[in-house]
């Protein structure tokens, strides 16, 4: 058996809302072949489709769109690259600032959580 990384896409549909939301999930799949991993990822997608009421009683639907990609992982160890994405930003300084702010917030959250433990 080998390990694969599958990218699974869901659409989130909320009654009476016009915005388009998608949930993009990266899932580890253990399979023999890429084709087997693809079919297992599709099965997960269909199994996790769901319709439920939101807190404000609107109908929320998680609709499985499809498996966008499947990558074979050569090994699983600390620091193994699982996924990479290159994107262009209109404002590189704002993007860098946002990343550093999120990192600082995460570091503070971990420090607070583990300081009390």
């Amino acid at each position: 058996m080998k390990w694969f990384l599958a990218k699974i896409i869901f659409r989130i549909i909320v009654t009476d809302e016009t915005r388009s939301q998608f949930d993009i999930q990266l899932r580890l799949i253990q399979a023999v072949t890429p084709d087997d991993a693809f079919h297992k990822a599709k099965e997960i997608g269909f199994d996790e489709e769901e319709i439920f009421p939101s807190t404000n009683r609107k109908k929320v639907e998680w609709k499985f769109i499809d498996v966008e990609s499947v990558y074979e992982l050569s090994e699983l160890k600390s620091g193994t690259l699982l996924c990479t994405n290159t994107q262009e930003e209109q404002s590189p300084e704002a993007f860098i600032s946002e990343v550093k702010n999120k990192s600082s917030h995460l570091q503070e959250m971990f420090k607070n959580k583990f300081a009390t433990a």
Side-chain angles (χ1 to χ4, degrees), residues 39-68:
H39 290 290
K40 285 183 176 185
K42 281 185 89 79
E43 192 174 304
I44 289 168
F46 284 120
D47 286 347
E48 294 193 4
E49 283 187 322
E50 186 176 9
I51 298 174
F52 56 91
S54 68
T55 55
N56 57 2
R57 298 185 186 260
K58 290 185 178 183
K59 182 178 88 172
V60 177
E61 179 180 2
W62 277 61
K63 181 169 177 43
F64 171 61
I65 301 301
D66 219 329
V67 175
E68 183 180 276

Side-chain angles (χ1 to χ4, degrees), residues 37-104:
F38 175 79
H39 290 290
K40 285 183 176 185
K42 281 185 89 79
E43 192 174 304
I44 289 168
F46 284 120
D47 286 347
E48 294 193 4
E49 283 187 322
E50 186 176 9
I51 298 174
F52 56 91
S54 68
T55 55
N56 57 2
R57 298 185 186 260
K58 290 185 178 183
K59 182 178 88 172
V60 177
E61 179 180 2
W62 277 61
K63 181 169 177 43
F64 171 61
I65 301 301
D66 219 329
V67 175
E68 183 180 276
S69 55
V70 173
Y71 302 100
E72 184 176 339
L73 302 175
S74 57
E75 60 182 338
L76 289 179
K77 67 176 187 175
S78 182
T80 298
L81 178 65
L82 295 180
C83 183
T84 183
N85 179 36
T86 303
Q87 61 190 50
E88 290 187 30
E89 293 292 333
Q90 295 296 323
S91 175
E93 293 80 14
F95 178 74
I96 291 168
S97 178
E98 182 181 350
V99 170
K100 290 188 177 286
N101 284 338
K102 287 179 179 178
S103 179
S104 292

